[in-house]
Amino acid sequence: MTIKNFINGKFENPIHKHWIDNYCPANGEVYGKTPNSSKEDVEKAYQSAQSAFRLWSQTTLDERSRILIKISELLEANIQRFAEAESKDNGKPVSLAAAVDIPRAASNFRFFGNAITQFASESHESVGQNAINYTLRQPLGVVGCISPWNLPLYLFTWKIAPAIAAGNCVVAKPSEVTPMTAYLLGEICNKAGLPKGVLNIVHGMGTTTGQAIIEHPSIKAISFTGGTATGAHIARIAAPMFKKLSLELGGKNPNIIFADCDYDEMLKTTVRSSFANQGQICLCGSRIFVEASIYDKFKIDFVAKVKELKLGHPSEASTDIGAIVSKQHLEKVLTYIEIAKQENGKVLCGGQKVTIEGFENGYYLQPTIIEVDTDECSVNQEEIFGPVVTIMPFKNEDDVLEMANKVKYGLSATLWTDNLKRSMTMSNELQVGIVWVNTWMLRDLRTPFGGVKASGVGREGGFEALRFFTEAKNVCIKY
Ligand code: NAD
């Protein structure tokens, strides 16, 4: 299968005919190729977007909304096809892609298709000065959207949908590790009647294609989701050019469990928040802190539940844990397990590569729980982004709050407690962008989404995203 760029509504080979192998993590085989697009391809995509901008930015909100909702409906009508493609590219269970990734990609278009019809700006009357100010919210022009491999279509569309809803035209790049569903999206956009050039998708490596997007002098904003080091690099290039930047970066999220919680609900959700998508979700609760009085019980029950998870080929309906996204990433995760052992960590379960009959070269790793004796060890401080969690006990609120905040990241936190005062005071104190109390990853697309510290700058979601993708202009009229 040869993936192509989607420029001006047409599928095209990269100008210089440079390609990257596309791997299937479930069996480790190359099953296709993806363009490694050059600066010239990005320029072509930019020109296409720029030519479409005037008309698209003048298209009525009703019409934009209608097209976005049509894209959403077409994605919903093709869930199985997209889910299978996502799974083949990423290694995640087809069942997960069909239940979460693709429906959410459809929701992203539906949500912003509706949100744009409700988005409004303010006016300010300058009392006593016979003047009125009103604020225009104008689209930026051509914007760049760059996304990672863990939730490929889900995060790609989370950026594209608000960008085009707000009247911008887009040059977008999915991860070179998981390009397939972004490729298929082009076809859907054409069927939905999205005008040519409004969305342009260029495939390739971060260091070639991604770099050309962030360096492009006329691309007005970069919405990026990915690793913290890449985010810092993008900021260094884009900031002196005064591009608007939204950076959604890494996480090392605490999952804080108090003895007074609903234990069964907590246990069930903690298995999910630790290992869903092979632990490759920026929001996974990879540092589990448990109140000392229930620590021993939790340890036994958690290990037992995790051992019940079925690791297998992503297309098997019974599979809970599929393959890790790439060989390189599997090796990185294994290295962290070794580091944990050197730093006195005790592997309570998992920790080993798994060979599945018939798919011997696939990238499979057991879900791994490591008991640590200090929150300062590397596996508690650095993002692993795989099926690895640490557990350790804590004494009281102050103690756990200090440990929870003592990392460079600040994306999300989960709290398990039945104590309202504690959940509210701790939510105030946690240095993160999102707190879940007695739940995990329950999303309402109207809420602001993003992190603090090394987890990013800016917020996505709801009107925050529409504000990012528009420029406010104040008009003052004296009468
Ligand atoms: P990555 O930073 O390696 O790549 C992300 C994207 O950036 C890819 O499309 C890549 O090609 C591109 N890129 C790389 N170098 C670039 C450059 N020089 N210029 C422009 N683009 C470049 O991240 P990844 O390995 O794909 O994803 C995993 C990371 O993403 C983890 O750190 C995870 O926490 C983070 N993540 C964050 C969120 C969030 O919402 N905060 C969500 C999902 C994933």
Side-chain angles (χ1 to χ4, degrees), residues 146-150 155 173-176 204-207 210-211 214 224-227 230 233-234 248-251 282 383 385 411 449:
I146 301 178
S147 61
W149 49 256
N150 65 322
L155 290 175
K173 190 193 91 62
S175 169
E176 64 277 20
M205 305 287 292
T207 44
Q211 187 72 18
I214 62 173
F224 169 79
T225 298
T230 316
H233 171 78
I234 291 175
E248 299 291 339
L249 312 176
C282 54
E383 186 185 43
F385 213 57
L411 187 54
F449 179 91

Side-chain angles (χ1 to χ4, degrees), residues 100-273:
V100 177
D101 293 72
I102 311 306
R104 171 58 192 273
S107 296
N108 290 339
F109 282 106
R110 173 168 292 110
F111 176 84
F112 284 107
N114 287 319
I116 195 62
T117 67
Q118 305 298 314
F119 188 47
S121 56
E122 294 175 303
S123 74
H124 301 85
E125 188 185 356
S126 300
V127 178
Q129 294 176 298
N130 282 2
I132 185 132
N133 294 270
Y134 63 89
T135 307
L136 291 172
R137 279 269 164 196
Q138 297 178 313
L140 305 175
V142 179
V143 299
C145 298
I146 301 178
S147 61
W149 49 256
N150 65 322
L151 301 167
L153 193 67
Y154 174 135
L155 290 175
F156 193 58
T157 55
W158 182 230
K159 301 180 176 307
I160 290 168
I164 63 178
N168 300 282
C169 292
V170 175
V171 176
K173 190 193 91 62
S175 169
E176 64 277 20
V177 186
T178 53
M180 186 55 83
T181 47
Y183 169 59
L184 299 177
L185 180 67
E187 208 178 281
I188 295 253
C189 289
N190 279 349
K191 275 194 192 145
L194 186 72
K196 287 188 283 191
V198 173
L199 172 63
N200 303 275
I201 304 173
V202 278
H203 295 270
M205 305 287 292
T207 44
T208 49
T209 320
Q211 187 72 18
I213 295 174
I214 62 173
E215 281 178 349
H216 197 290
S218 305
I219 291 182
K220 299 286 196 316
I222 303 290
S223 173
F224 169 79
T225 298
T228 294
T230 316
H233 171 78
I234 291 175
R236 275 193 295 273
I237 304 284
M241 298 165 86
F242 309 109
K243 291 182 194 294
K244 261 184 127 174
L245 276 179
S246 166
L247 303 173
E248 299 291 339
L249 312 176
K252 191 74 193 176
N253 313 305
N255 178 6
I256 302 169
I257 300 167
F258 285 92
D260 65 0
C261 70
D262 176 339
Y263 188 84
D264 293 342
E265 182 65 24
M266 172 280 294
L267 190 62
K268 194 173 70 180
T269 308
T270 294
V271 172
R272 214 164 49 82
S273 68

Side-chain angles (χ1 to χ4, degrees), residues 277-341:
N277 204 41
Q278 297 70 246
Q280 301 167 145
I281 303 181
C282 54
L283 304 163
C284 276
S286 53
R287 296 184 290 148
I288 305 178
F289 298 107
V290 187
E291 193 167 4
S293 62
I294 58 163
Y295 183 72
D296 290 336
K297 175 176 163 50
F298 173 80
K299 190 161 103 177
I300 293 166
D301 294 343
F302 185 47
V303 169
K305 278 262 176 239
V306 170
K307 283 188 172 161
E308 283 171 16
L309 292 174
K310 182 155 180 312
L311 192 147
H313 191 277
S315 61
E316 295 273 332
S318 58
T319 293
D320 298 307
I321 309 272
I324 302 290
V325 72
S326 67
K327 187 159 188 263
Q328 194 190 16
H329 192 54
L330 171 65
E331 275 155 16
K332 176 189 153 187
V333 179
L334 283 166
T335 305
Y336 269 110
I337 296 173
E338 284 314 305
I339 293 173
K341 289 182 198 158

Side-chain angles (χ1 to χ4, degrees), residues 361-375:
N361 294 324
Y363 317 135
Y364 297 95
L365 176 65
Q366 293 170 332
T368 304
I369 306 172
I370 303 175
E371 183 173 46
V372 294
D373 56 9
T374 163
D375 64 298

